[in-house]
Amino acid sequence: MSSAPTAPFSRRIVTLISRLGPPLAFALVCLGASSPASAFSQIPDDANPAPAREGIVTVPLPPVPGGTPSATPPAPAAPAGAETVPPAAAPGDAAPENAAPSVEPDPDADDAAPQAPVDVPPARILYNEDELPVPVRDLRRKLIEIAKSGDVEKLRPYIQTGADPTTLSLVDDGTDPIQILKDASGDGNGVELLAILLETLEAGHVHVEGDGADEIFVWPYFTQVDLSKLTNPQLVELFELVTAGDYQRMLANGSYDFYRLGISPEGRFEFFVAGD
């Protein structure tokens, strides 16, 4: 025998309330009002997870818009024996402040320690013409004789011309050598230059050995020494050629820049010129 269909629960409640009197119905409604509170306590949450039911797959609900995002799920553990690789830095990440900068080795760098500069011995200052080679000594004597004569034209036979001429000026423009000396002389006739030539040859000299063709004897010796270390007697010799003002200029420039004269070991008149 089939049973009668059961009426819905809500309709049965309404029928029951209508059969009761108002006082009892009001009391029943008040008692039923507390039921939802007990029902809400059964809603599963993080603290009270719902029990698992066989055959039912639970799917987590999406986050509520505007709510606090849930914590990032932990990364899956790496399998045993796998090598741990640190995460790559983001393009905008700055390097740690205490990280040492990487220095690429310089393939051209010399591993050897720098060598100390070689001390150059001071030039040997000479005054005695007996130490000069005979050709040098003879030309020096002849030039002194011409300088004392006051006739600059007498220098012409000893001035070299051609492909390798005697240097009388820093600018070689083809001017006649005697005319160069006259133009450089304050009197216009070369007499002043002869006086400078005499004073130059009477000063001490140095022997610059050089390499083969560069060997030469130079007057005065001031061209080969440190002017800042001259003694007082040497300064007297210097001031026979230049003024104190000239000396200060030379100190600033670092070299003697007045007239100097050179003779090769073979007795060739190489130069008589001023300037650097």
Side-chain angles (χ1 to χ4, degrees):
M1 183 177 68
S2 61
S3 60
T6 305
F9 178 77
S10 60
R11 185 183 301 173
R12 295 170 60 189
I13 292 298
V14 171
T15 303
L16 177 62
I17 293 175
S18 63
R19 292 179 180 179
L20 298 174
L24 293 177
F26 176 77
L28 181 61
V29 171
C30 292
L31 291 174
S34 61
S35 298
S38 300
F40 278 114
S41 65
Q42 302 302 319
I43 297 177
D45 56 14
D46 292 340
N48 300 295
R53 299 181 182 180
E54 183 179 359
I56 299 178
V57 179
T58 59
V59 179
L61 296 176
V64 178
T68 303
S70 59
T72 304
E83 181 180 358
T84 302
V85 180
D93 291 347
E97 295 182 358
N98 57 351
S102 59
V103 179
E104 295 294 335
D106 186 0
D108 299 329
D110 189 2
D111 294 336
Q115 298 181 354
V118 179
D119 292 334
V120 179
R124 183 185 175 208
I125 302 172
L126 305 172
Y127 292 92
N128 190 351
E129 69 171 12
D130 293 340
E131 298 185 25
L132 295 172
V134 174
V136 177
R137 183 188 63 196
D138 291 346
L139 180 58
R140 174 180 178 271
R141 288 177 177 179
K142 192 63 181 179
L143 294 177
I144 289 176
E145 179 184 337
I146 294 172
K148 289 181 177 181
S149 72
D151 187 357
V152 70
E153 188 65 36
K154 292 182 179 181
L155 287 175
R156 189 178 294 276
Y158 303 96
I159 296 175
Q160 304 294 322
T161 58
D164 189 16
T166 300
T167 302
L168 300 174
S169 173
L170 297 179
V171 179
D172 184 8
D173 55 2
T175 305
D176 178 76
I178 298 301
Q179 188 61 46
I180 292 175
L181 296 176
K182 288 181 178 180
D183 292 342
S185 184
D187 63 292
N189 294 317
V191 177
E192 183 185 34
L193 260 292
L194 290 177
I196 296 173
L197 176 64
L198 178 62
E199 292 176 340
T200 300
L201 288 172
E202 289 179 343
H205 66 277
V206 291
H207 179 201
V208 181
E209 297 184 8
D211 297 327
D214 295 332
E215 183 180 4
I216 196 169
F217 294 84
V218 180
W219 286 262
Y221 67 86
F222 302 113
T223 61
Q224 304 298 317
V225 299
D226 186 349
L227 297 179
S228 65
K229 297 181 179 180
L230 295 179
T231 64
N232 284 345
Q234 289 174 327
L235 286 174
V236 171
E237 293 178 305
L238 177 66
F239 292 152
E240 289 178 347
L241 295 167
V242 300
T243 65
D246 295 331
Y247 173 56
Q248 294 301 321
R249 183 192 68 249
M250 293 176 188
L251 286 177
N253 295 336
S255 64
Y256 179 86
D257 59 11
F258 196 53
Y259 278 91
R260 78 289 307 270
L261 184 146
I263 302 175
S264 70
E266 298 78 23
R268 186 176 186 274
F269 191 7
E270 294 290 345
F271 57 81
F272 179 53
V273 67
D276 282 333

